[in-house]
Short mmCIF file of all heavy atoms in Angstrom, two decimals:
data_model
loop_
_atom_site.label_atom_id
_atom_site.label_comp_id
_atom_site.label_asym_id
_atom_site.label_seq_id
_atom_site.Cartn_x
_atom_site.Cartn_y
_atom_site.Cartn_z
N SER A 46 16.83 2.33 3.24
CA SER A 46 16.00 1.90 4.36
C SER A 46 16.44 0.53 4.87
O SER A 46 16.44 0.28 6.07
CB SER A 46 14.52 1.89 3.99
OG SER A 46 14.28 1.01 2.93
N ARG A 47 16.83 -0.35 3.96
CA ARG A 47 17.31 -1.67 4.38
C ARG A 47 18.57 -1.54 5.24
O ARG A 47 18.70 -2.19 6.27
CB ARG A 47 17.59 -2.52 3.13
CG ARG A 47 17.75 -4.00 3.47
CD ARG A 47 17.92 -4.84 2.21
NE ARG A 47 16.81 -4.63 1.30
CZ ARG A 47 16.95 -4.40 0.00
NH1 ARG A 47 18.13 -4.38 -0.55
NH2 ARG A 47 15.91 -4.23 -0.77
N ALA A 48 19.47 -0.67 4.84
CA ALA A 48 20.70 -0.47 5.61
C ALA A 48 20.41 0.13 6.99
O ALA A 48 21.02 -0.25 7.98
CB ALA A 48 21.66 0.43 4.83
N ALA A 49 19.45 1.06 7.04
CA ALA A 49 19.10 1.68 8.32
C ALA A 49 18.52 0.66 9.28
O ALA A 49 18.88 0.62 10.46
CB ALA A 49 18.11 2.83 8.10
N TRP A 50 17.63 -0.21 8.81
CA TRP A 50 17.05 -1.24 9.68
C TRP A 50 18.10 -2.26 10.08
O TRP A 50 18.14 -2.71 11.22
CB TRP A 50 15.88 -1.94 8.99
CG TRP A 50 14.62 -1.16 9.05
CD1 TRP A 50 13.94 -0.67 8.00
CD2 TRP A 50 13.90 -0.76 10.22
NE1 TRP A 50 12.84 0.01 8.42
CE2 TRP A 50 12.78 -0.03 9.77
CE3 TRP A 50 14.08 -0.94 11.57
CZ2 TRP A 50 11.85 0.51 10.65
CZ3 TRP A 50 13.16 -0.40 12.45
CH2 TRP A 50 12.07 0.31 11.99
N LYS A 51 18.97 -2.63 9.13
CA LYS A 51 20.00 -3.62 9.44
C LYS A 51 20.93 -3.12 10.53
O LYS A 51 21.29 -3.85 11.44
CB LYS A 51 20.78 -3.96 8.17
CG LYS A 51 21.64 -5.18 8.29
CD LYS A 51 22.23 -5.54 6.94
CE LYS A 51 22.97 -6.84 7.02
NZ LYS A 51 23.53 -7.26 5.74
N ALA A 52 21.29 -1.85 10.46
CA ALA A 52 22.15 -1.26 11.50
C ALA A 52 21.43 -1.22 12.84
O ALA A 52 22.04 -1.40 13.90
CB ALA A 52 22.56 0.15 11.09
N LEU A 53 20.13 -1.02 12.83
CA LEU A 53 19.36 -0.94 14.06
C LEU A 53 19.25 -2.30 14.75
O LEU A 53 19.39 -2.41 15.96
CB LEU A 53 17.96 -0.40 13.77
CG LEU A 53 17.01 -0.32 14.95
CD1 LEU A 53 17.51 0.72 15.95
CD2 LEU A 53 15.62 0.02 14.48
N VAL A 54 18.99 -3.34 13.98
CA VAL A 54 18.71 -4.64 14.58
C VAL A 54 19.88 -5.61 14.50
O VAL A 54 19.72 -6.79 14.76
CB VAL A 54 17.45 -5.28 13.96
CG1 VAL A 54 16.24 -4.43 14.22
CG2 VAL A 54 17.62 -5.54 12.49
N ALA A 55 21.07 -5.12 14.13
CA ALA A 55 22.24 -6.00 14.07
C ALA A 55 22.52 -6.58 15.45
O ALA A 55 22.46 -5.88 16.46
CB ALA A 55 23.44 -5.24 13.56
N GLY A 56 22.82 -7.84 15.50
CA GLY A 56 23.12 -8.49 16.76
C GLY A 56 21.86 -8.92 17.50
O GLY A 56 20.74 -8.75 17.04
N ASP A 57 22.06 -9.44 18.66
CA ASP A 57 20.97 -9.95 19.48
C ASP A 57 20.54 -8.87 20.47
O ASP A 57 21.36 -8.41 21.27
CB ASP A 57 21.45 -11.20 20.23
CG ASP A 57 20.38 -11.82 21.09
OD1 ASP A 57 19.22 -11.37 21.02
OD2 ASP A 57 20.70 -12.77 21.83
N PRO A 58 19.27 -8.44 20.44
CA PRO A 58 18.82 -7.40 21.38
C PRO A 58 19.02 -7.77 22.85
O PRO A 58 19.17 -6.91 23.69
CB PRO A 58 17.33 -7.24 21.07
CG PRO A 58 17.17 -7.76 19.68
CD PRO A 58 18.22 -8.83 19.52
N GLU A 59 19.04 -9.06 23.15
CA GLU A 59 19.23 -9.49 24.55
C GLU A 59 20.67 -9.23 25.01
O GLU A 59 20.90 -8.96 26.19
CB GLU A 59 18.91 -10.98 24.69
CG GLU A 59 17.46 -11.33 24.43
CD GLU A 59 16.52 -10.66 25.43
OE1 GLU A 59 16.87 -10.57 26.61
OE2 GLU A 59 15.45 -10.23 25.00
N THR A 60 21.63 -9.33 24.11
CA THR A 60 23.03 -9.13 24.52
C THR A 60 23.52 -7.72 24.24
O THR A 60 24.57 -7.34 24.72
CB THR A 60 23.95 -10.13 23.78
OG1 THR A 60 23.82 -9.92 22.38
CG2 THR A 60 23.59 -11.56 24.14
N GLN A 61 22.75 -6.95 23.44
CA GLN A 61 23.14 -5.57 23.12
C GLN A 61 21.97 -4.62 23.33
O GLN A 61 21.54 -3.94 22.40
CB GLN A 61 23.62 -5.48 21.67
CG GLN A 61 24.84 -6.33 21.37
CD GLN A 61 25.18 -6.27 19.89
OE1 GLN A 61 24.36 -5.97 19.06
NE2 GLN A 61 26.43 -6.54 19.59
N PRO A 62 21.41 -4.54 24.54
CA PRO A 62 20.21 -3.72 24.74
C PRO A 62 20.45 -2.23 24.48
O PRO A 62 19.54 -1.51 24.11
CB PRO A 62 19.84 -3.98 26.20
CG PRO A 62 21.09 -4.46 26.83
CD PRO A 62 21.86 -5.17 25.76
N GLU A 63 21.68 -1.74 24.66
CA GLU A 63 21.95 -0.32 24.43
C GLU A 63 21.88 0.04 22.95
O GLU A 63 21.69 1.18 22.59
CB GLU A 63 23.30 0.10 25.02
CG GLU A 63 24.52 -0.51 24.33
CD GLU A 63 24.84 -1.93 24.80
OE1 GLU A 63 24.21 -2.44 25.73
OE2 GLU A 63 25.74 -2.53 24.20
N GLU A 64 22.01 -0.96 22.08
CA GLU A 64 21.95 -0.73 20.64
C GLU A 64 20.52 -0.73 20.12
O GLU A 64 20.24 -0.23 19.05
CB GLU A 64 22.76 -1.80 19.89
CG GLU A 64 24.23 -1.78 20.17
CD GLU A 64 24.90 -0.50 19.69
OE1 GLU A 64 24.53 -0.01 18.62
OE2 GLU A 64 25.77 0.00 20.42
N PHE A 65 19.60 -1.31 20.87
CA PHE A 65 18.23 -1.49 20.40
C PHE A 65 17.28 -0.77 21.36
O PHE A 65 16.64 -1.38 22.19
CB PHE A 65 17.91 -2.99 20.34
CG PHE A 65 16.66 -3.30 19.57
CD1 PHE A 65 16.66 -3.25 18.19
CD2 PHE A 65 15.50 -3.65 20.22
CE1 PHE A 65 15.51 -3.54 17.48
CE2 PHE A 65 14.34 -3.95 19.51
CZ PHE A 65 14.35 -3.88 18.13
N THR A 66 17.22 0.54 21.25
CA THR A 66 16.40 1.33 22.16
C THR A 66 15.20 1.91 21.42
O THR A 66 15.25 2.10 20.20
CB THR A 66 17.21 2.49 22.76
OG1 THR A 66 17.58 3.37 21.69
CG2 THR A 66 18.46 1.99 23.48
N PRO A 67 14.13 2.21 22.14
CA PRO A 67 12.99 2.87 21.50
C PRO A 67 13.37 4.20 20.84
O PRO A 67 12.89 4.52 19.76
CB PRO A 67 12.00 3.07 22.64
CG PRO A 67 12.34 2.00 23.62
CD PRO A 67 13.83 1.85 23.52
N ALA A 68 14.25 4.96 21.48
CA ALA A 68 14.66 6.24 20.91
C ALA A 68 15.40 6.05 19.59
O ALA A 68 15.19 6.80 18.63
CB ALA A 68 15.55 6.99 21.90
N LYS A 69 16.26 5.04 19.52
CA LYS A 69 16.99 4.79 18.27
C LYS A 69 16.03 4.29 17.19
O LYS A 69 16.13 4.70 16.04
CB LYS A 69 18.10 3.77 18.50
CG LYS A 69 19.01 3.61 17.30
CD LYS A 69 20.24 2.78 17.61
CE LYS A 69 21.13 2.67 16.39
NZ LYS A 69 22.28 1.83 16.63
N SER A 70 15.08 3.44 17.57
CA SER A 70 14.09 2.96 16.61
C SER A 70 13.29 4.13 16.04
O SER A 70 13.08 4.22 14.83
CB SER A 70 13.12 1.98 17.27
OG SER A 70 13.81 0.87 17.78
N LEU A 71 12.83 5.03 16.91
CA LEU A 71 12.07 6.19 16.46
C LEU A 71 12.92 7.09 15.57
O LEU A 71 12.44 7.61 14.56
CB LEU A 71 11.55 6.97 17.66
CG LEU A 71 10.67 8.18 17.36
CD1 LEU A 71 9.44 7.76 16.56
CD2 LEU A 71 10.27 8.87 18.64
N GLY A 72 14.19 7.23 15.90
CA GLY A 72 15.09 8.04 15.08
C GLY A 72 15.25 7.48 13.67
O GLY A 72 15.26 8.24 12.70
N VAL A 73 15.35 6.17 13.56
CA VAL A 73 15.48 5.54 12.25
C VAL A 73 14.20 5.73 11.44
O VAL A 73 14.23 6.10 10.27
CB VAL A 73 15.81 4.04 12.38
CG1 VAL A 73 15.71 3.34 11.04
CG2 VAL A 73 17.21 3.86 12.95
N VAL A 74 13.05 5.54 12.08
CA VAL A 74 11.77 5.71 11.38
C VAL A 74 11.61 7.16 10.91
O VAL A 74 11.24 7.42 9.77
CB VAL A 74 10.59 5.27 12.28
CG1 VAL A 74 9.27 5.66 11.65
CG2 VAL A 74 10.65 3.78 12.53
N LYS A 75 11.92 8.12 11.78
CA LYS A 75 11.81 9.53 11.41
C LYS A 75 12.73 9.86 10.24
O LYS A 75 12.34 10.56 9.31
CB LYS A 75 12.13 10.44 12.59
CG LYS A 75 11.00 10.58 13.56
CD LYS A 75 11.38 11.57 14.66
CE LYS A 75 10.24 11.81 15.60
NZ LYS A 75 10.60 12.76 16.67
N SER A 76 13.97 9.38 10.28
CA SER A 76 14.90 9.70 9.20
C SER A 76 14.49 9.04 7.89
O SER A 76 14.71 9.61 6.82
CB SER A 76 16.33 9.31 9.58
OG SER A 76 16.49 7.91 9.58
N MET A 77 13.86 7.87 7.94
CA MET A 77 13.43 7.21 6.72
C MET A 77 12.22 7.90 6.11
O MET A 77 12.02 7.86 4.90
CB MET A 77 13.14 5.73 6.96
CG MET A 77 14.41 4.93 7.18
SD MET A 77 14.17 3.16 7.14
CE MET A 77 12.91 2.89 8.32
#
Side-chain angles (χ1 to χ4, degrees):
S46 60
R47 194 175 305 133
W50 280 117
K51 193 173 186 178
L53 177 66
V54 298
D57 181 7
E59 295 298 321
T60 60
Q61 298 176 337
E63 67 279 354
E64 296 295 321
F65 194 76
T66 64
K69 188 170 181 183
S70 300
L71 183 59
V73 170
V74 171
K75 281 184 176 179
S76 71
M77 288 192 306

